[in-house]
Amino acid sequence: MKLLVINGPNLNMLGIREPDIYGRQTYQDLVSYVNQICAQKGIACEVFQSNHEGDIVDKIQAAYGNTDGIVINPAAYTHTSVAILDALKAVCIPAVEVHLSDVNARESFRHISYAGMACEKTYAGFGFEGYKMAIEYLEGKNNL
Ligand code: DQA
């Protein structure tokens, strides 16, 4: 099984940005966490981060035909990007949305998720653990 984990803008600043909301663990800690979970499960996984919407669209398109599942935290693009929504719909790869924080308990502009409309599940407010939940959901589907 092959997974693609995509992280959007400013997630590379984890550990520095708003630690009261996102915690003190760094982006590298997140990458190690995800890689460790996938390694334990024998899942091949690529973890990608970009601050650029078009690069994220390109990455989703490049996954077509070679990836079994996408875990995506589009960060701020969650709430603005029809392009990411359309890319996820175009490739038809099972996708799960993750947010470190509980977006529905924050400002109202964070309550809309375009990317989420193309995702089978959303895990928000579980910190790093949300990525594990998303991986396990996709792993479960793949084993059906
Ligand atoms: C986020 C929530 C978004 O609203 C925000 O713009 C982010 C991170 C999260 O993981 O909680 O950058 O996706």
Side-chain angles (χ1 to χ4, degrees):
M1 180 183 186
K2 193 177 163 207
L3 285 189
L4 173 62
V5 179
I6 298 177
N7 289 302
N10 301 305
L11 289 169
N12 56 314
M13 297 293 282
L14 282 179
I16 298 167
R17 73 180 291 211
E18 302 179 89
D20 44 320
I21 297 174
Y22 299 112
R24 295 210 176 265
Q25 287 185 286
T26 65
Y27 182 68
Q28 196 45 55
D29 292 335
L30 176 61
V31 173
S32 302
Y33 176 81
V34 167
N35 281 332
Q36 194 190 341
I37 288 163
C38 289
Q40 279 165 2
K41 294 177 179 295
I43 296 171
C45 157
E46 179 184 357
V47 186
F48 174 81
Q49 190 277 330
S50 177
N51 294 325
H52 305 282
E53 184 176 18
D55 289 349
I56 294 171
V57 169
D58 287 345
K59 197 70 189 175
I60 294 167
Q61 289 184 9
Y64 180 69
N66 61 56
T67 301
D68 302 302
I70 295 176
V71 176
I72 184 162
N73 181 347
Y77 290 139
T78 306
H79 320 298
T80 62
S81 181
V82 177
I84 291 174
L85 165 63
D86 285 350
L88 289 169
K89 283 174 137 179
V91 297
C92 272
I93 298 168
V96 179
E97 177 187 22
V98 172
H99 299 286
L100 295 163
S101 66
D102 183 2
V103 280
N104 287 315
R106 298 180 62 191
E107 305 97 318
S108 57
F109 65 83
R110 295 186 202 273
H111 298 180
I112 262 276
S113 170
Y114 291 102
M117 294 173 195
C119 292
E120 295 186 11
K121 285 254 170 206
T122 296
Y123 297 105
F126 299 104
F128 284 12
E129 182 93 17
Y131 288 80
K132 183 171 182 235
M133 295 160 105
I135 292 162
E136 287 179 345
Y137 172 78
L138 290 167
E139 182 190 31
K141 270 191 76 97
N142 204 59
N143 290 338
L144 286 180

